[in-house]
Amino acid sequence: MNKKLAIYPGTFDPVTNGHIDIIARALDIFDEVIVAVLVNGSKTPLFSTKERLSLIKESTASLKGVKAESYDGLLVDYLKSKNCNVVLRGLRVATDLDYEFQLATANNMMDTGIETVFLMTSANYTFLTSSVVRDAYSHGGRLPKFVPPAVHTALVDKFKK
Amino acid sequence: MNKKLAIYPGTFDPVTNGHIDIIARALDIFDEVIVAVLVNGSKTPLFSTKERLSLIKESTASLKGVKAESYDGLLVDYLKSKNCNVVLRGLRVATDLDYEFQLATANNMMDTGIETVFLMTSANYTFLTSSVVRDAYSHGGRLPKFVPPAVHTALVDKFKK
Amino acid sequence: MNKKLAIYPGTFDPVTNGHIDIIARALDIFDEVIVAVLVNGSKTPLFSTKERLSLIKESTASLKGVKAESYDGLLVDYLKSKNCNVVLRGLRVATDLDYEFQLATANNMMDTGIETVFLMTSANYTFLTSSVVRDAYSHGGRLPKFVPPAVHTALVDKFKK
Amino acid sequence: MNKKLAIYPGTFDPVTNGHIDIIARALDIFDEVIVAVLVNGSKTPLFSTKERLSLIKESTASLKGVKAESYDGLLVDYLKSKNCNVVLRGLRVATDLDYEFQLATANNMMDTGIETVFLMTSANYTFLTSSVVRDAYSHGGRLPKFVPPAVHTALVDKFKK
Amino acid sequence: MNKKLAIYPGTFDPVTNGHIDIIARALDIFDEVIVAVLVNGSKTPLFSTKERLSLIKESTASLKGVKAESYDGLLVDYLKSKNCNVVLRGLRVATDLDYEFQLATANNMMDTGIETVFLMTSANYTFLTSSVVRDAYSHGGRLPKFVPPAVHTALVDKFKK
Amino acid sequence: MNKKLAIYPGTFDPVTNGHIDIIARALDIFDEVIVAVLVNGSKTPLFSTKERLSLIKESTASLKGVKAESYDGLLVDYLKSKNCNVVLRGLRVATDLDYEFQLATANNMMDTGIETVFLMTSANYTFLTSSVVRDAYSHGGRLPKFVPPAVHTALVDKFKK
C-alpha cells in the first residue's frame, strides 16, 4: 500500500530544525518519510552528499519511519523506483509558490499520478533557511536553537581555520 | 487509526470542479475525506447549508470515501468530535498564504496536534473560485466545464426569474 | 476592423489621474477606448453612474478617441454588443493579479476570443486608487495633483456640509 | 525636539501581544510612543473606543513612555496637532505592503514632512491579528499566550452568555 | 503607422508553447510581432542565438505577421532602430512584477514614448518556463504537449549522448 | 546614547538617488547614519569598495550626520563595534520581505537587542535599483535623474571604451 510513503526531496545543505519540524509533522500522516538528497544541483554545496546524508540520519535518529537517501536525475524516476507517488514539501508563508508549482507541475506533466503535499512550517522557523544558517556560521555566528546538535558541530568544524 | 481521515472545511457556495479535484487528490493519500460546510460564515451564502451539502453529495457520489457534513463554531472542536487531526486545504499559486497560515496557526495555538495539509489545485482551475462562478451565472453566463452538472443546474435554477 | 477598439471597464468612483494615464497610454496602441462604468457593483458608490460618466467625459475631453459609457450585466455581453474583443486594465506593481486573472479567465471561459491587455501605471501613481482619494477628501484632505480638476471640485462639493 | 515621538495608529480591536511587541521595540528608538485609536473606522468594532483605550493602557502600564489616545478624521491633522512627524507601523512578512504604502503615500501627498517607520513583528506573532483573536474567542477558543491578561479577561467577558 | 508593431524581447532558450500562445494573442491586437532574441544575456544559453532564432521561425511558421530577430545592447536602441514603441511581455499570475516594472521603467526613464503591453498567459501554461523545459529534458524527461515539435526534437538531440 | 545612530548596510554598487532618499529620511529620525558598504559579498562588484565609499561620501556631502564605512564579516559584530543597535533598510512596495526578514531574523537570533527599521522609498524610486542603473549604463544608456552627479560621471567613465 504505497499511499503511506512520502518522499521529501531537497538539498539539505545542511538540514535545519525547520526540516526536522516538517519531517516530524509528516510522520503524523505518513508511515514512512524518505529524505531524498539531490546529488547534482546547480550550485556547489557546502557539505558533500555523504556528509548531508550523515547529518540527516544523526538528526532524525529518534524519529521512527525516517530514511535518508540520495538521488540523481529526474525526481519522477526516483519516485517510480520507490513505488511512491507523494512528494512532500515544507511551506513557509513567504515560500515562492511559483517555483514550487513549477516543480510540481513538471512532475505532473510527465506522470500525472504524482501528488505534492505541502505542510506548514512552524512560525518559529518562518525565516530559517539553510542559506541563512551557512551564512551565519561562515562569519563566526552561532545558531544552536535552529539546527540539530550534529549540524552545529559540523558547521563549527567546517569553518574552523 | 485516525491518521487516515482528513477534514476539508470551507463554504462551498457552491462546490466547483476545483474542489472536486482537491477531494479526488486527497483520496490518493487519505482513506476518508469529510467535506465540512461552515454554517455561520460572515456572509450570506447563495445556497443554504442544506443545498450546499446536497450538491456536494451529488457531485462526489462516484468517489469512494467522501462524506459531507456541516459544522458550526470552532473548527478545532469539530475536529475533536471527529477524532481527526488533519485539515485539508487546496492551494492555488495565488492563494493568500497569510490567511491560510492565520487559520492554521489559530488552530495550532489552541490544539497543537492539528496538522494542515495543502494540496495543489490543477493548473486548469488556477483562477476558478466559487465567487467567479456565482458572479458569472448571476449575470446569465454559463461555466459547464468548471462546475459539476448538478451545480450547473442548481445555478441556472437559482437565477431564473 | 474591430482590433483597434479597447474597452476599459471599472467603477471609476471617481476617475483619477492614474486612470487618465492608462487611457492616454492605450491611445498610443488603440484607435478608440471606451471607458465602461459598471452600474451595479457590490458596493454603494460615492458618485452616481451619471456623475461618474460626466466626470470621465470632462476629464478626457482633450484626448481624441475616448468615449464613456455605462454597462450592466456580463462584461462579455457588453463587449459583444460593441463588437470588441479587447479588455484594457491598468497594472500597478502591487496589483492583485489573482483577481485580475480570475476576471480575465471568467471572460475567456465564456468567450475565448476575448483578450485582456494590461498597461503599466506610471510610478507616480503606484499607490493611487479611487479609494485613497475618497478617503482623503472625506476627511477634509486635498489631492489636486492626483485627480483631474473636475474631480477635485466634485469631491470638495460632495463632502461640503 | 519632535523627532523622538512616534504615533502608532490603528484600530486595536483589541490590542494583542503583537502590538505590544512593536511598541516595546519602538521604545528602543523613540522616547515616546502614542498609541492612537481610530474612532470612526468603516467597521463596527467589537470593543468601544473607551474599552480599547483602557485595554491598551492596562497592557502597557509597565512600559515607560507610552500613551494611548483616540483620534478622528485625517491622520495628518492628528499628527500636526501633536507636533509629530513619525508614523509607526508593524510589519509582518505577509503584510499587505500595497495598503501600507497607499496609507503612507496619502499622508505624504498632503504633508511631505511625514515619515512612516516600519518595525518587524517577532516571528512568533507572524500570523497573529486582532481578527484571529476575535474569531477564536467568539467561538469559545482561548489564546492566553497571544493577548495581554486584561484583554484575555475582557474577551471572555464579552462573549459570555 | 508604427502603432501596429510590437517587439517581444526575451531569451527564448528555447521557445515554448507559452511563448507561442502570447505571440498568437498579440496578433489579435498588432499587425506584426517581432520576436527579439537577446544575444548577450548574463547566463550561457543552452541553444545558440542561431538555433533559438531557427526554432522560433519553425514554430511560428503558420502564424502570419511574425518575425524573429536577435538584438544586442539596449532594448531602447533596438526599438528605435525598428521605429517601434511597443514592448510585448507575457504575464503569468506568479510573474515577478517587480522585475518587469524595473525593465519597463528603465526603458521609460530613457525614452518616455515606449509602452510595455502585458498579455495574460493561458492557465494551462501558468507554470511553464523555458527553465522547467530545459531541466526536464536534461534529465531524460519529455514534455511534448508544452513545446513545439521542432523544439522537442532539438531538445532530445541536444541531450543525446 | 546609542539610540540615535542607525547603520545602513548594503552593497551600494553604486549608490543611487533611492539610497540618498532613504538616508535623508533617516536623518529626520536619527542623529547619525553610517552607510556601511559590505566588502565581501558573493558577487564581483562593478565598483571597488574604495570607489563605492568615495561615491557615497561625495553624494552625501551636503547631508549633516552621514558617514560611510566598509565592513566585513557579521553585521552583528560590526554593529557591536559601533555600539549601535539599529539597522536601517529601505522598503520598496515590491521588496522581497522574505529576504529582509531572513536577514533581520538572523541578526535577532544572534543578538536580540538589534532592531531593523524600514523606511519607505519615494514612489519615484519604486523600480530603481543599482542593478537597473549598472545595466543601463553598461549598454550606453543614461539615467541622470536617478543617480547623483558623481555616480553618473563614474558610470560613464567605467564603461568608456
Side-chain angles (χ1 to χ4, degrees), chain D residues 63-137:
Chain D
L63 297 173
K64 195 168 152 15
V66 183
K67 278 188 192 164
E69 297 192 354
S70 63
Y71 79 100
D72 201 353
L74 277 183
L75 180 58
V76 167
D77 293 333
Y78 177 66
L79 284 160
K80 276 184 193 158
S81 77
K82 292 286 158 184
N83 199 24
C84 172
N85 69 334
V86 178
V87 176
L88 173 69
R89 297 288 289 175
L91 200 62
R92 301 180 309 118
V93 69
T95 288
D96 181 351
L97 278 185
D98 185 28
Y99 176 74
E100 291 294 331
F101 276 47
Q102 284 183 25
L103 287 189
T105 303
N107 292 337
N108 261 328
M109 285 171 185
M110 289 180 283
D111 183 331
T112 56
I114 291 176
E115 215 50 75
T116 301
V117 167
F118 296 95
L119 296 182
M120 200 181 78
T121 306
S122 162
N124 288 332
Y125 303 139
T126 297
F127 308 111
L128 177 64
T129 64
S130 294
S131 159
V132 163
V133 167
R134 285 195 309 272
D135 200 51
Y137 279 83

Side-chain angles (χ1 to χ4, degrees), chain C residues 93-94 121 123-124 126-127, chain F residues 93-94 121 123-124 126-127:
Chain C
V93 69
T121 306
N124 288 332
T126 297
F127 308 111
Chain F
V93 69
T121 307
N124 289 332
T126 297
F127 308 111

Side-chain angles (χ1 to χ4, degrees), chain B residues 93-94 120-121 123-127, chain E residues 93-94 120-121 123-127:
Chain B
V93 69
M120 201 180 79
T121 307
N124 288 332
Y125 303 139
T126 296
F127 308 111
Chain E
V93 69
M120 200 180 78
T121 306
N124 288 332
Y125 303 139
T126 297
F127 308 110

Side-chain angles (χ1 to χ4, degrees), chain F residues 50-95:
Chain F
K50 196 179 158 190
E51 288 173 316
R52 286 181 275 160
L53 284 170
S54 168
L55 289 171
I56 293 166
K57 282 172 188 164
E58 197 167 346
S59 306
T60 59
S62 66
L63 296 173
K64 194 169 151 18
V66 183
K67 278 187 190 165
E69 297 192 354
S70 63
Y71 79 100
D72 202 351
L74 278 183
L75 180 57
V76 168
D77 293 333
Y78 176 65
L79 284 159
K80 276 183 193 156
S81 78
K82 293 287 159 183
N83 198 25
C84 173
N85 69 335
V86 178
V87 175
L88 173 70
R89 297 288 289 175
L91 199 62
R92 301 181 307 119
V93 69
T95 289

